[in-house]
Amino acid sequence: MTEISHDTPAPRPGLSRLLPPPPLFLLQPVLNRVVHRVARLHPSLFDRLGPHRTARFVIDARGLPFVMLLVPDPDNLVFRALPRNREPQGDARIAGGFFDLLGLVDGESDGDALFFSRDLDITGNTEAVVCLRNALDDVEGSIAEDAAGLFGAPGRAILAALRRTGDRRGGTS
Amino acid sequence: MKRPELVCPAGTPAALRTAVDAGADAVYCGFQNATNARNFPGLNFTPAEMEQGVAYAHARGAKVLLAVNSFPTAGRFDLWREAVDAGARFGVDALIVADIGVAAYAAEAHPDLRLHLSVQAAASSPEAIRYYVREFGVRRVVLPRILTVSEIKDVKKEIPCEIETFIFGNHGLMVEGRCSLTNYVTGLSTNMDGVCSPAAQVHYDKEADGSVATRLGDFTIDRFGAGEQAGYPTICKGRYHAAGREDAYYAFEEPISLNLATLLPQLMAAGVEAFKIEGRQRSRAYVRQVVGAFRGAVDQVLAGEDPELADLVALTEGQKQTQGAAGSKKWR
């Protein structure tokens, strides 16, 4: 994987594989389960992505200590968290407040409105982002709920708490 | 007062169901190809999805209007013919057409299927509208967004068909159906390929100071300062340097949305039969909020009450709204 080097030097690849940062180490299997569950529940999502299903989307939920890499390829799904100083090279980059991005995958926010208000930044392959946005928006219900459902009652409780916080803040991070 | 039809956008099957559930009387949508003027990546309906969408809407008393509203060029007519035939086969309630060849084919092949004249046809005079009614049996005209309420009322008196007017959404009118700016820059036509500012040619470059430059193809069409509201990346909404102007300015149109919520009573009194909400490229969240707000407002006007209008400015382009020509001929 090609990575962009930021201020902090990246750890040696071998070392990083052996000793991933603890929070990301714990997060990785969770993200993996989430993306596979969403893919299993909503296979039609991939049809809308068309040629962009192999695109690499870097997702920056501002305020989180890491960025995420999504490759929505049904044959090789990738959803991974990476430290900010090892941000991967992507075909497109989507940046926004955590609660705004949650609103998008929750079906409660409008991507164009977030773009108009400058709460959402898009760079790179715009067509891939538009495809991803439209594909996610055609998913009935809430992807956030699907993901939370993976963890039963505690997962749903956490999502409900996040939604309440997001409502109070009016989006953003 | 006659109950006007609330015509709502759907770019995806989920948006169609959202619109119907939010109170749409009719939903308009199109296929995933150049036959519809919102031919955007990842958007629109497969034939199977269209058939299912029609069934969903009809089961709940709502109509489906199929937009086949772009202009075929020589050698490509089969695609438009197939779209018209598929719409008829799936039982859509009307076809929205702009091209006279498509209108003629639909009228001949499916004489019982309603034809609506798309805003893309830019028919705003009684003479033009009567031509479409006489030649193709058009039952409704979607008026271009260039008329005042008073002019709409006058047109209504002189035409033998229904009137549909836009009440909310994108306001990039130019001369509707005849925009060639995108074609000039990208080689793709809004009118013939259904794509305005093809996303593959749109690029946003974020600068270190937080500003963002919008590029379409090889042209920079706007630059938003950090925190400044943004608009769609279309040439008609771009800012340009011009002789005699110190700063870049909106030479054609501004990023702003139409909102005729407060004019609903006057439009209904003028005899408008259908209200259209723009936004097939928008999300389910937009559809749910805007359709719900206008469903409530229209019903309140019909009940003789003052409509309580939800604040929709957060959903507008550039976070600004206007009554456009409906409010005043001086909309720019």
Side-chain angles (χ1 to χ4, degrees):
Chain A
M1 183 193 307
T2 314
E3 290 166 356
I4 298 172
S5 182
H6 287 274
D7 348 319
T8 321
R12 284 181 296 162
L15 184 65
S16 90
R17 272 202 300 275
L18 285 171
L19 297 168
L24 301 190
F25 172 70
L26 292 173
L27 193 58
Q28 217 51 71
V30 174
L31 294 177
N32 200 41
R33 284 181 69 191
V34 164
V35 76
H36 279 89
R37 178 179 167 88
V38 171
R40 199 174 58 250
L41 289 175
H42 308 289
S44 65
L45 188 153
F46 299 104
D47 295 333
R48 287 196 178 270
L49 285 166
H52 301 296
R53 55 175 67 180
T54 54
R56 293 161 58 87
F57 297 92
V58 175
I59 301 165
D60 174 5
R62 292 181 194 125
L64 293 185
F66 52 83
V67 295
M68 287 165 280
L69 173 69
L70 171 69
V71 183
D73 179 355
D75 299 324
N76 186 24
L77 276 172
V78 175
F79 193 32
R80 191 179 296 158
L82 294 125
R84 287 185 173 275
N85 62 0
R86 287 177 49 214
E87 179 172 325
Q89 188 81 52
D91 297 299
R93 190 175 195 281
I94 304 165
F98 172 80
F99 291 105
D100 287 332
L101 296 178
L102 176 66
L104 286 176
V105 293
D106 218 3
E108 292 298 323
S109 298
D110 178 72
D112 286 10
L114 291 174
F115 175 78
F116 296 149
S117 63
R118 304 290 303 279
D119 291 313
L120 195 64
D121 278 338
I122 307 292
T123 49
N125 187 335
T126 309
E127 184 174 85
V129 176
V130 171
C131 263
L132 179 67
R133 186 273 307 264
N134 290 333
L136 292 175
D137 202 62
D138 190 40
V139 170
E140 203 77 71
S142 157
I143 291 175
E145 221 159 74
D146 292 339
L150 195 57
F151 308 100
R156 285 189 288 272
I158 290 170
L159 177 61
L162 288 173
R163 282 170 170 164
R164 282 195 299 275
T165 309
D167 287 346
R168 275 199 302 274
R169 293 181 179 208
T172 73
S173 61
Chain B
M1 194 179 285
K2 193 178 169 189
R3 185 179 196 270
E5 199 173 88
L6 191 58
V7 182
C8 305
T12 62
L16 179 146
R17 292 187 287 271
T18 299
V20 170
D21 295 348
D25 296 307
V27 177
Y28 65 103
C29 44
F31 288 120
Q32 292 175 337
N33 57 39
T35 62
N36 101 73
R38 279 286 184 268
N39 182 23
F40 294 169
L43 210 63
N44 299 313
F45 290 62
T46 64
E49 288 169 344
M50 187 65 71
E51 189 169 17
Q52 291 159 8
V54 170
Y56 185 91
H58 285 179
R60 289 154 184 82
K63 298 173 184 169
V64 173
L65 317 179
L66 176 63
V68 190
N69 61 341
S70 49
F71 297 83
T73 47
R76 295 202 303 165
F77 195 75
D78 280 354
L79 193 61
W80 277 258
R81 190 167 20 227
E82 284 164 16
V84 167
D85 291 344
R89 200 165 59 246
F90 298 151
V92 300
D93 299 275
L95 298 172
I96 307 171
V97 298
D99 177 72
I100 55 173
V102 176
Y105 173 74
E108 191 181 313
H110 308 286
D112 296 330
L113 184 53
R114 276 177 70 99
L115 283 185
H116 293 183
L117 189 64
S118 169
V119 68
Q120 292 293 98
S124 56
S125 70
E127 291 81 4
I129 296 165
R130 283 198 299 263
Y131 166 79
Y132 287 99
V133 173
R134 186 179 66 242
E135 297 298 323
F136 312 113
V138 160
R139 307 276 294 275
R140 177 185 295 176
V141 58
V142 184
L143 287 180
R145 287 157 274 197
I146 57 170
L147 302 174
T148 63
V149 176
S150 164
E151 286 170 335
I152 292 170
K153 192 174 181 180
D154 290 343
V155 168
K156 175 65 188 167
K157 288 176 192 160
E158 295 186 44
I159 59 170
C161 71
E162 299 171 3
I163 280 181
E164 181 172 310
T165 57
F166 280 92
I167 53 170
F168 190 86
N170 185 19
H171 195 240
L173 57 159
M174 300 297 293
V175 178
E176 291 183 278
R178 292 170 201 169
C179 172
S180 296
L181 291 172
T182 297
N183 197 354
Y184 174 73
V185 169
T186 68
L188 288 170
S189 164
T190 306
N191 309 313
M192 289 175 279
D193 301 294
V195 57
C196 173
S197 281
Q201 298 194 40
V202 173
H203 298 279
Y204 298 107
D205 300 321
K206 189 158 187 177
E207 312 291 345
D209 64 357
S211 67
V212 171
T214 307
R215 282 191 292 117
L216 181 63
D218 295 332
F219 295 84
T220 298
I221 59 173
D222 209 343
R223 189 182 298 275
F224 300 101
E228 188 183 7
Q229 306 299 318
Y232 280 121
T234 59
I235 297 184
C236 61
K237 304 287 185 78
R239 268 183 290 199
Y240 306 96
H241 291 285
R245 293 264 180 175
E246 195 173 326
D247 299 316
Y249 80 117
Y250 293 110
F252 303 107
E253 304 283 348
E254 291 177 34
I256 195 165
S257 291
L258 184 75
N259 187 350
L260 301 189
T262 57
L263 293 179
L264 289 178
Q266 291 96 308
L267 288 166
M268 287 159 76
V272 173
E273 279 95 349
F275 292 137
K276 184 167 220 148
I277 295 168
E278 186 275 344
R280 283 193 280 153
Q281 74 283 10
R282 302 293 291 265
S283 65
R284 281 179 295 145
Y286 168 95
V287 168
R288 187 166 49 245
Q289 288 179 60
V290 178
V291 174
F294 278 98
R295 174 76 279 154
V298 169
D299 289 348
Q300 284 172 323
V301 174
L302 284 169
E305 300 166 11
D306 289 331
E308 287 174 19
L309 300 162
D311 185 3
L312 299 173
V313 75
L315 293 167
T316 58
E317 187 180 4
Q319 311 240 296
K320 288 186 290 186
Q321 47 193 357
T322 177
Q323 292 186 338
S328 159
K329 279 293 187 187
K330 297 176 181 173
W331 76 90
R332 279 231 57 211

